[in-house]
Structures are given as C-alpha cells and as structure tokens.
C-alpha cells in the first residue's frame, strides 16, 4: 500500500517564494522545521466530529423523552427520589449542548492565533459537563434532605416504578452510544458523559427501592434512596473530573508512549530513541519524538529517515495525526546540544 505524505506551508503563507535550484531546494527543505501531516487525515477528523454530533443528537432526543415522562410522574406522585433521577437525566441531556459546540469548533482549521486548531474546546466542554453533573447532584441532595425533614406521602407508586424502568432503559441506551462513539473517536468528554448516563441508569433502578419501601409503609425510603442516588453520582463526578483534568494536563496512556518507542526503533537506520512526547488535541493525538541516527548521514538522508519515522508512528499509534521528529546523531566526544544546555535541560 502506498502512502502519500504531502508537505506544505499550511494556511499562513503570505506570498509565494522564489524557486531554488533542485539540489539546493532539497537541502533547504530538509533544514526547514515542519511536520508531515497526511492530507488524508483531514477527512477522518471531520468524520469523527460528525459521529460525535450524530451521537449527541440521538442521546439528546432519547434523554429528552425520558425526562419528560419522568417529570410527568414526579408531578403526579411527589417522589423526591424520582425527582433526583429526573434532574440528573435533564442535566445529562443538556450536556449535549456544550459538547456539540465543541465538536463544531473542533472542525475549524488552525490559524495564526490557534496554531494547533480548536480541538481543546472539547476539553473545556468536559469541564462544563462535570460542573453540570455536580450542580444536578447538589440539587438532588437538597431535595432529599428537605423531604427527610418534611415527610410527605407518595402516591401513584406503580407509575413511579414504571418511570424508574424507563429511566434505566433510556440512560443505558445513551450510555452505550456515547461510550462506544467516544472511545472510537478518542473523546474523553464524550466517554465521561456516557459513564454519567450509565450511572444514572442504575440509579433509576434505585428509585424502585424507594417505591417498594413506600409501598410497605417506610416513609423515609424515598428520600433515603434519593440520597443514595446523590452519593452514586458523586462517584461519577469524581471519575469524570479526574479524566477531564488528566486530558487538560496532557496525560496520555503510557502504553502509547511504549508503542511509539517500539515503532521508532523498528525503522531501519534509527540507532536509539530519546524523548517521546504526546498530547491530545480534541480527539486527535500529536507527538514529538527524538531519534538518534548515524552521524555520517547526509542532510537529505537524515530527512528521509525522519519522514519514515513519522510514517511508522502514524501507523503504530491510534488516533495520531502528526508528529515532529527531531534528529540527533551519534557523538563520540562533544554533546551536539551543548549550546542549549544553559537554556533548557534535556533528559534521555
């Protein structure tokens, strides 16, 4: 299979440059810092945004219907446990809004100010998702405590039980869709939102316990279940916040770094590897890698080896769209980076 890697100056070229003689042009090209981002990666990036938007619209519709059904039953029954579940479902449905905005922004091309593009909008949307979950959790807790202090009889227990089942089915369907799509396109925010929906599904079943307790005369069953639901959602808030914060801190799976080192060492001519850095930008990965090559290679040969190394990385690391490969050479006596030692420390 052939792989075409197009080299270009990107969207920032202001004027055409004069053509250089062929040999001199090749050397100048080799000495110019640039990445090797395949043009073929643009369409998959757009497709991942479309998949995310499609999943968000579907989940918004399902959760919106689920919330409407449960809200009607809450009005009839006065169940505070079901109210908490309804609030969570409404909040989960509304989180589709910031995520949808982030996916749309992520389609915008890089410019002179946002040179890596707008993929980070997705991470900011993840923060909004976490805050929304936390706010709904606080509201449900307040309602449950208030009901414990001011007991009130629950009516229409059969409708409460039915609404709980509806909540479970709606949330589980949404959770499967969001988690599957989020993992496919590499979206931490969408996966976090899917995990929230899954927990909401199981807490919907907890409403059945409240209805059962009320049916046998335990007046506190409904608000106690409401508090248990709140505690379960707090666990989701913690896990989702941790995942989103890791993404904001440029955390990646260490196994991906190991995969990158292995791919680089598998390229003929690469003597060793140095640092390999990766970061998520939206649901795509970018990388920077140092490789050590023979000191006697020509500039053109070293450049060709860098291209081959990036090519290997793109094929080996899932969701990687581009990498900048830095060439080091073997040195017997002098450190080739000695001139930079007082500016930045280098680690192996």
């Amino acid at each position: 299979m052939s792989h075409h890697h197009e080299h270009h100056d990107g969207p920032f070229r202001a004027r055409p440059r004069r053509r250089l003689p062929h040999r001199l042009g090749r050397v100048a090209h080799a000495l110019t810092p640039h990445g090797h981002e395949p043009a073929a990666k643009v369409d998959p990036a757009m497709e991942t945004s479309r998949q995310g938007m499609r999943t968000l619209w579907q989940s918004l519709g399902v959760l919106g219907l689920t919330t409407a059904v449960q809200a009607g039953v809450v009005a009839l029954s006065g169940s505070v446990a079901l109210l908490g579940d309804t609030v969570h479902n409404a909040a989960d449905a509304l989180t589709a809004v910031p995520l949808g905005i982030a996916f749309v922004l992520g389609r915008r091309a890089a410019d002179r100010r946002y040179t890596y593009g707008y993929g980070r909008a997705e991470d900011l949307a993840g923060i909004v998702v976490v805050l929304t979950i936390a706010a709904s959790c606080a509201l449900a807790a307040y309602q449950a405590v208030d009901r414990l202090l001011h007991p009130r009889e629950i009516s229409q227990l059969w409708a409460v039980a039915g609404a709980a089942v509806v909540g479970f089915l709606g949330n589980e369907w949404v959770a499967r869709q969001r988690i599957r799509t989020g993992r496919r396109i590499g979206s931490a925010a969408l996966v976090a939102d899917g995990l929230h929906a899954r927990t909401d599904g199981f807490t919907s079943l907890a409403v059945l316990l409240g209805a059962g307790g009320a049916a046998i005369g335990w007046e506190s069953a409904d608000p106690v279940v409401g508090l248990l639901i709140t505690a379960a959602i707090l666990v989701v808030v913690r896990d989702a916040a941790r995942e989103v914060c890791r993404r904001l801190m440029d955390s990646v799976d260490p196994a991906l770094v190991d995969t990158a080192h292995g791919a680089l060492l598998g390229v003929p001519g690469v003597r060793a590897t140095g640092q390999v850095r990766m970061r998520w930008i939206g649901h795509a990965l970018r990388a920077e890698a140092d490789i050590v090559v023979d000191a006697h290679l020509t500039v053109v040969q070293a450049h060709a080896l860098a291209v081959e190394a990036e090519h290997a990385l793109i094929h080996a690391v899932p969701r990687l769209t581009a990498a900048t490969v830095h060439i080091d050479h073997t040195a017997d006596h002098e450190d080739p980076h000695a001139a930079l030692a007082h500016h930045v420390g280098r680690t192996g």
Side-chain angles (χ1 to χ4, degrees), residues 50 141 170 343:
R50 281 193 288 266
H343 289 292

mmCIF file with all atom_site columns, all heavy atoms in Angstrom, residues 50 141 170 343:
data_model
loop_
_atom_site.group_PDB
_atom_site.id
_atom_site.type_symbol
_atom_site.label_atom_id
_atom_site.label_alt_id
_atom_site.label_comp_id
_atom_site.label_asym_id
_atom_site.label_entity_id
_atom_site.label_seq_id
_atom_site.pdbx_PDB_ins_code
_atom_site.Cartn_x
_atom_site.Cartn_y
_atom_site.Cartn_z
_atom_site.occupancy
_atom_site.B_iso_or_equiv
_atom_site.pdbx_formal_charge
_atom_site.auth_seq_id
_atom_site.auth_comp_id
_atom_site.auth_asym_id
_atom_site.auth_atom_id
_atom_site.pdbx_PDB_model_num
ATOM 1  N N   . ARG A 1 50  ? -18.489 14.361 12.962 1.00 0.00 ? 50  ARG A N   1
ATOM 2  C CA  . ARG A 1 50  ? -19.850 14.023 12.539 1.00 0.00 ? 50  ARG A CA  1
ATOM 3  C C   . ARG A 1 50  ? -20.413 12.880 13.375 1.00 0.00 ? 50  ARG A C   1
ATOM 4  O O   . ARG A 1 50  ? -21.587 12.882 13.744 1.00 0.00 ? 50  ARG A O   1
ATOM 5  C CB  . ARG A 1 50  ? -19.865 13.669 11.047 1.00 0.00 ? 50  ARG A CB  1
ATOM 6  C CG  . ARG A 1 50  ? -19.831 14.889 10.133 1.00 0.00 ? 50  ARG A CG  1
ATOM 7  C CD  . ARG A 1 50  ? -20.166 14.496 8.704  1.00 0.00 ? 50  ARG A CD  1
ATOM 8  N NE  . ARG A 1 50  ? -19.082 13.763 8.094  1.00 0.00 ? 50  ARG A NE  1
ATOM 9  C CZ  . ARG A 1 50  ? -18.123 14.316 7.355  1.00 0.00 ? 50  ARG A CZ  1
ATOM 10 N NH1 . ARG A 1 50  ? -18.127 15.627 7.159  1.00 0.00 ? 50  ARG A NH1 1
ATOM 11 N NH2 . ARG A 1 50  ? -17.179 13.581 6.805  1.00 0.00 ? 50  ARG A NH2 1
ATOM 12 N N   . ALA A 1 141 ? -29.553 16.395 46.239 1.00 0.00 ? 141 ALA A N   1
ATOM 13 C CA  . ALA A 1 141 ? -29.251 16.211 47.657 1.00 0.00 ? 141 ALA A CA  1
ATOM 14 C C   . ALA A 1 141 ? -30.107 17.148 48.514 1.00 0.00 ? 141 ALA A C   1
ATOM 15 O O   . ALA A 1 141 ? -30.633 16.747 49.564 1.00 0.00 ? 141 ALA A O   1
ATOM 16 C CB  . ALA A 1 141 ? -27.769 16.461 47.915 1.00 0.00 ? 141 ALA A CB  1
ATOM 17 N N   . GLY A 1 170 ? -33.580 4.252  29.051 1.00 0.00 ? 170 GLY A N   1
ATOM 18 C CA  . GLY A 1 170 ? -33.115 5.411  28.286 1.00 0.00 ? 170 GLY A CA  1
ATOM 19 C C   . GLY A 1 170 ? -31.656 5.728  28.546 1.00 0.00 ? 170 GLY A C   1
ATOM 20 O O   . GLY A 1 170 ? -30.872 5.958  27.617 1.00 0.00 ? 170 GLY A O   1
ATOM 21 N N   . HIS A 1 343 ? 19.993  26.926 28.368 1.00 0.00 ? 343 HIS A N   1
ATOM 22 C CA  . HIS A 1 343 ? 18.634  27.389 28.077 1.00 0.00 ? 343 HIS A CA  1
ATOM 23 C C   . HIS A 1 343 ? 17.582  26.383 28.561 1.00 0.00 ? 343 HIS A C   1
ATOM 24 O O   . HIS A 1 343 ? 16.559  26.771 29.111 1.00 0.00 ? 343 HIS A O   1
ATOM 25 C CB  . HIS A 1 343 ? 18.454  27.616 26.581 1.00 0.00 ? 343 HIS A CB  1
ATOM 26 C CG  . HIS A 1 343 ? 19.196  28.808 26.060 1.00 0.00 ? 343 HIS A CG  1
ATOM 27 N ND1 . HIS A 1 343 ? 18.866  30.088 26.401 1.00 0.00 ? 343 HIS A ND1 1
ATOM 28 C CD2 . HIS A 1 343 ? 20.265  28.888 25.225 1.00 0.00 ? 343 HIS A CD2 1
ATOM 29 C CE1 . HIS A 1 343 ? 19.685  30.927 25.799 1.00 0.00 ? 343 HIS A CE1 1
ATOM 30 N NE2 . HIS A 1 343 ? 20.560  30.234 25.084 1.00 0.00 ? 343 HIS A NE2 1
#
